[in-house]
Amino acid sequence: MKELTMEALVQNIPAATDFVNAQLDEVGCSPAEEMEIDVVLDEVLSNIANYAYTPEIGLVTIQVETEKDAPMVTISFADVGIPYNPLEQEAPDVNVPLQKRKIGGLGIHLTKKLMDHVSYEYREGKNILHIHKKLS
């Protein structure tokens, strides 16, 4: 398992993406799967940066665990910001025109669609979001 801790800032997302992609390259992740994971990284880290510590700046820890035998990646995001389970967010109605949709919820909806499994826990004062993706 590899781990990166950094300030939860939107401008740090490229560094986090590079860190995760380096782990994905080691297990031969396809470009299409890597792109899906990158989209989810952007969504999750943007939400942590914009909402977890507002107006303060805090840390986020990203853990990446890969398995070669049954190709899979598990990425965990941990922060000590405001307790919040994004999985309890009401799913957006994607059939409603953009102009009439409520703000929020689309990022976690996309995360659930692109990943094979998403889970959340609040443990020891930390929000921890786990995403799992089977690799081909």
Side-chain angles (χ1 to χ4, degrees):
M1 180 179 340
K2 304 275 177 127
E3 183 175 293
L4 172 68
T5 299
M6 61 185 199
E7 287 186 321
L9 298 168
V10 171
Q11 56 264 37
N12 287 339
I13 293 173
T17 302
D18 289 345
F19 166 75
V20 171
N21 287 344
Q23 313 316 307
L24 297 175
D25 290 345
E26 288 183 13
V27 292
C29 181
S30 76
E33 292 166 331
E34 188 173 296
M35 184 176 66
E36 290 178 347
I37 292 167
D38 289 351
V39 167
V40 170
L41 283 171
D42 189 82
E43 289 294 335
V44 171
L45 292 171
S46 292
N47 283 338
I48 293 170
N50 289 318
Y51 304 112
Y53 297 104
T54 303
E56 306 297 320
I57 297 172
L59 299 176
V60 60
T61 299
I62 304 162
Q63 292 182 330
V64 181
E65 187 173 351
T66 56
E67 297 177 34
K68 283 187 178 180
D69 297 336
M72 178 178 209
V73 63
T74 300
I75 304 171
S76 300
F77 305 86
D79 68 74
V80 294
I82 300 164
Y84 177 69
N85 181 351
L87 301 180
E88 293 176 347
Q89 174 78 29
E90 184 178 326
D93 185 348
V94 295
N95 297 314
V96 172
L98 282 176
Q99 302 87 337
K100 295 185 179 184
R101 283 189 203 164
K102 293 182 197 174
I103 294 175
L106 200 53
I108 196 66
H109 174 74
L110 187 61
T111 298
K112 290 177 184 178
K113 292 289 183 193
L114 293 175
M115 298 298 106
D116 292 308
H117 182 70
V118 181
S119 61
Y120 168 86
E121 62 179 315
Y122 186 77
R123 182 173 32 117
E124 298 174 4
K126 295 180 185 175
N127 294 294
I128 307 170
L129 184 73
H130 306 279
I131 60 171
H132 309 272
K133 177 98 175 146
K134 294 176 188 166
L135 306 173
S136 49

